[in-house]
Amino acid sequence: GIGDDAAVVATGKHTVITTDMAVEGTHFNCQWSGAFEIGRKIAAANLADIYAMGALPIFALALLGMPINVLPMDVIQKITSGGESVCKEAGIMIAGGHSIDTVEPIYGLVVVGIVDRKKLKRNNAAKAGDKIILSKPLGVGILSAALKKEVLSDAGYQQMIELTTQLNKPGAILAEAAGVHALTDVTGFGLAGHLLEMSRGSNLKAQINWNDIPVIEEAATLAQKDIFTGASTRNWAAYGHEVELGSDITAWQKKLLTDPQTSGGLLISCAPEAEQEVLSVLQTAGFSNSKTIGTFTVGSGLSVS
């Protein structure tokens, strides 16, 4: 009901299971020369939900549907090889899976992980006074939209790939910290949507400051040129009534707040005394854009000032 990131099955240590699939027109792009990167991005997004529960992945199964008479076999192999490479970075193997001939490309993973039941992190356990920390900058959805419109720079493309294939491994490390109360990751509902999930589940209000939110510079420039995804508009229509925007928050900034992220950053709720420890873990792991963006308080909804 509150949109946790994975199912949890008790087996001594909890077994954590999640799956997701990417489809043409939403997650894939037309540049099949980047097929390997597409596979990497999709696999990282699947693994992210395991890390967002504070768990460690142990193996994956591949789900593959490809139009074999349309898409060249070497392109299909590059997609799956990209997924395998990310799983290797995560220290796991793809133990099997299933493939079928389909009208449009479909690729995803079923990922299985484990976590000590006492260290399981959900998205509904934030406490009043907790600091809100975001580990990756916003804007990869806008970069993806710009790619489809063929207006994304080479540097922007590289940054999009780097961010979307960066594994959220610190989630498993942060699960060890008593001061970390709640975890999730920012994906299709955008920062605002996933913060609202945490707020609803915890019966609290999230208050964030726009100037503290890490944002991809090129994405901000593109948003000001009215480049964004259709999902951003649908997101606002779904939950905008729960969001209080400061009078100086502009339309392009709202697009970034609702921008859907593929393999987005970890969203962390922690006690004030654990704030520096969390930021240190993230920085050490290579999440150089990590920032404290706000606080949970008594109330409901989301406020952006």
Side-chain angles (χ1 to χ4, degrees):
I2 57 170
D4 254 329
D5 297 292
V8 180
V9 181
T11 59
K13 272 198 170 183
H14 279 345
T15 302
V16 184
I17 308 162
T18 186
T19 187
D20 197 3
M21 301 183 78
V23 296
E24 186 177 25
T26 302
H27 304 93
F28 290 96
N29 59 58
C30 298
Q31 295 190 358
W32 291 112
S33 59
F36 184 77
E37 286 76 18
I38 290 171
R40 285 178 55 78
K41 179 171 67 172
I42 293 167
N46 278 251
L47 284 159
D49 284 340
I50 295 292
Y51 293 126
M53 301 293 289
L56 282 171
I58 54 175
F59 72 89
L61 303 173
L63 305 173
L64 183 69
M66 291 287 159
I68 58 176
N69 292 324
V70 178
L71 205 58
M73 187 57 67
D74 68 315
V75 169
I76 297 173
Q77 290 173 339
K78 286 177 181 176
I79 293 171
T80 57
S81 293
E84 290 168 3
S85 73
V86 164
C87 287
K88 186 175 181 179
E89 287 179 26
I92 65 171
M93 65 179 295
I94 295 180
H98 188 63
S99 61
I100 58 173
D101 184 10
T102 53
V103 175
E104 61 182 11
I106 301 169
Y107 178 56
L109 300 176
V110 176
V111 187
V112 178
I114 55 172
V115 64
D116 187 306
R117 59 180 301 177
K118 296 179 181 179
K119 297 172 183 176
L120 175 69
K121 300 299 180 183
R122 301 188 64 186
N123 66 357
N124 65 342
K127 298 181 180 181
D130 273 5
K131 297 296 182 179
I132 302 170
I133 296 174
L134 178 63
S135 69
K136 290 184 184 181
L138 301 180
V140 295
I142 289 171
L143 296 187
S144 180
L147 178 64
K148 292 175 182 177
K149 293 178 181 291
E150 300 183 345
V151 295
L152 183 64
S153 71
D154 290 342
Y157 178 77
Q158 290 303 319
Q159 188 173 18
M160 180 179 71
I161 295 301
E162 289 171 7
L163 287 169
T164 55
T165 58
Q166 184 179 25
L167 292 174
N168 284 334
K169 287 183 178 182
I173 300 172
L174 294 173
E176 304 284 338
V180 174
H181 298 142
L183 270 178
T184 191
D185 60 338
V186 182
T187 53
F189 297 128
L191 173 64
H194 291 285
L195 263 177
L196 282 168
E197 284 184 339
M198 296 182 84
S199 297
R200 296 186 201 110
S202 305
N203 295 311
L204 294 172
K205 181 176 185 176
Q207 294 184 324
I208 61 174
N209 303 307
W210 170 261
N211 290 331
D212 292 330
I213 300 172
V215 172
I216 300 167
E217 185 175 346
E218 185 166 349
T221 300
L222 290 164
Q224 292 174 66
K225 295 178 180 178
D226 216 27
I227 294 175
F228 55 89
T229 71
S232 177
T233 301
R234 292 190 293 273
N235 280 341
W236 184 256
Y239 57 65
H241 62 284
E242 297 181 72
V243 183
E244 302 172 13
L245 294 179
S247 58
D248 56 346
I249 301 297
T250 63
W252 69 266
Q253 290 169 318
K254 187 172 75 172
K255 296 300 183 187
L256 277 158
L257 290 168
T258 57
D259 186 46
Q261 308 296 286
T262 299
S263 187
L266 290 168
L267 194 54
I268 303 148
S269 175
C270 69
E273 58 269 25
E275 178 184 2
Q276 292 307 312
E277 177 188 357
V278 171
L279 289 170
S280 177
V281 167
L282 293 170
Q283 294 283 341
T284 300
F287 291 77
S288 59
N289 293 288
S290 304
K291 289 189 70 176
T292 301
I293 63 172
T295 307
F296 279 109
T297 65
V298 174
S300 61
L302 168 63
S303 173
V304 187
S305 58

